[in-house]
Amino acid sequence: MSNNREGEGRPEIRINKKMRTWNKYRNYCFIAAGVIVVILAVFIVVNMVTKDKDNSDVAKEPTNPNNTISQTKEDLSNTQTTAQAEPTNEQTTTQQPTTKTGQVGGTLKVSGSVEKQDFVGADKFKDCVFLGDSIISGISFYEFLPESQVVSDDNITSDKLEKHIDTALSSNPSKVFIMVGLNDANYGTRDGATIAGFIGDTVREIKSKSASTSVYILSVLPVTSAFENRSNVSIKQSLLDEINESLSQNAAGYGATFIDLADAYKDGSGYLKTECTGNGSNIYGEYYPFMLNSISKLINS
């Protein structure tokens, strides 16, 4: 009897079946939810990084030498060696570019079509400096000129040129050659006149710091049609042509001479010849001698 009385008044304990199930599995649920959140966060970050990479300063693909020039060198190391070691008479005696001479401050143009040549004018550039993007970096990468004569940044844009001026002038060069604009074109928001204007600002700054240094602006080289149509690239050949046209018209006002190389590298449709490139924008090492030999002839004619 006493036991029954002692039990009287105590609330009956009833454990809800659903609550028991939740208490049993809730830690697993929290862990699973945490894993899902982490996976979603990683996916979002990777997606953002990938998108940002695709739209960064020129398509790093055309302009990063680790992705482009180095691949080009690997792909063509054998053919470049053959082309330089065993030049034919036809290569050295035919289709040599003819030039149209001009005064400093005007426009010089290479006619004819790009071809494989031996580089024969290294001594003509001994007191010169080349300044620009990945196309320019190829001059030292393929060892046509020493690194001391090449000041380059593979992702450089025209508005960032000025920060490299002091380096370019540190050796007191008699001539500075500038090529830039490909990365600008990849923004898809700058017109040719704006890009040319930034280059003009750099020319004026160079002249203000070293009045005796002659400045030559090299035309932006073309890209292939296939490269232009890539989904992660905003570069249009029409804009590259616009940049070159603006530079040609305004070089004298900047205090520079414009050298038109672009047409010599174009095919019949106005795009870069496919045999000259592996990725659609950078040129193979074996086509640099034509560029350098042509420049040498123009400035020394």
Side-chain angles (χ1 to χ4, degrees):
M1 294 293 292
S2 62
N3 289 338
N4 289 336
R5 285 196 298 271
E6 289 176 359
E8 291 178 0
R10 289 184 180 180
E12 184 177 2
I13 299 174
R14 296 179 181 179
I15 300 177
N16 184 286
K17 186 176 182 180
K18 292 182 180 180
M19 182 61 69
R20 289 203 308 270
T21 302
W22 166 247
N23 289 336
K24 182 177 181 180
Y25 294 106
R26 63 181 179 179
N27 290 338
Y28 298 105
C29 292
F30 289 145
I31 293 173
V35 171
I36 292 173
V37 170
V38 171
I39 292 174
L40 288 174
V42 171
F43 176 79
I44 292 171
V45 170
V46 171
N47 187 57
M48 291 176 64
V49 170
T50 302
K51 184 176 180 181
D52 183 63
K53 180 179 179 181
D54 287 342
N55 294 294
S56 61
D57 287 344
V58 161
K60 284 192 178 182
E61 183 156 353
T63 56
N64 189 331
N66 294 326
N67 293 334
T68 57
I69 296 178
S70 58
Q71 289 177 355
T72 299
K73 186 174 184 180
E74 291 173 2
D75 293 340
L76 283 179
S77 58
N78 293 330
T79 58
Q80 183 181 351
T81 301
T82 301
Q84 292 184 354
E86 299 179 2
T88 63
N89 290 334
E90 182 179 0
Q91 289 176 341
T92 56
T93 62
T94 64
Q95 292 188 340
Q96 293 296 324
T98 57
T99 62
K100 183 165 59 179
T101 59
Q103 301 294 322
V104 172
T107 294
L108 304 178
K109 181 178 177 60
V110 175
S111 60
S113 184
V114 62
E115 62 176 356
K116 298 175 184 178
Q117 297 178 350
D118 285 334
F119 179 40
V120 296
D123 60 320
K124 303 290 181 61
F125 293 106
K126 62 183 179 181
D127 61 346
C128 301
V129 168
F130 285 79
L131 170 63
D133 55 25
S134 64
I135 303 294
I136 292 299
S137 70
I139 295 173
S140 59
F141 183 87
Y142 289 111
E143 301 180 350
F144 294 112
L145 293 175
E147 292 184 359
S148 60
Q149 291 183 247
V150 178
V151 179
S152 63
D153 179 342
D154 300 310
N155 295 313
I156 198 171
T157 51
S158 58
D159 56 323
K160 303 294 175 55
L161 271 176
E162 290 183 279
K163 68 179 182 179
H164 296 281
I165 290 176
D166 289 342
T167 302
L169 295 178
S170 62
S171 61
N172 298 313
S174 65
K175 301 177 182 68
V176 172
F177 299 90
I178 299 173
M179 182 189 289
V180 71
L182 194 64
N183 293 317
D184 293 80
N186 197 50
Y187 282 138
T189 57
R190 293 179 175 176
D191 59 24
T194 298
I195 298 169
F198 284 132
I199 296 173
D201 292 339
T202 296
V203 174
R204 294 187 185 98
E205 183 69 14
I206 290 174
K207 299 298 291 184
S208 70
K209 292 186 174 184
S210 181
S212 62
T213 298
S214 297
V215 182
Y216 295 84
I217 302 173
L218 306 179
S219 61
V220 183
L221 295 187
V223 296
T224 64
S225 176
F227 180 81
E228 180 184 70
N229 291 323
R230 290 170 59 173
S231 60
N232 65 331
V233 171
S234 298
I235 297 170
K236 300 300 179 185
Q237 182 57 48
S238 58
L239 177 56
L240 301 183
D241 292 337
E242 183 184 328
I243 295 170
N244 289 336
E245 180 63 25
S246 184
L247 288 171
S248 178
Q249 293 177 355
N250 295 288
Y254 303 151
T257 300
F258 179 73
I259 298 181
D260 184 0
L261 294 162
D263 286 347
Y265 283 83
K266 289 182 178 180
D267 60 18
S269 61
Y271 289 91
L272 177 62
K273 291 185 175 184
T274 55
E275 64 266 29
C276 293
T277 182
N279 65 4
S281 60
N282 289 77
I283 60 174
Y284 287 141
E286 57 192 331
Y287 291 100
Y288 272 90
F290 175 88
M291 176 194 300
L292 296 170
N293 291 340
S294 297
I295 293 172
S296 177
K297 289 186 177 182
L298 285 169
I299 65 176
N300 292 290
S301 60

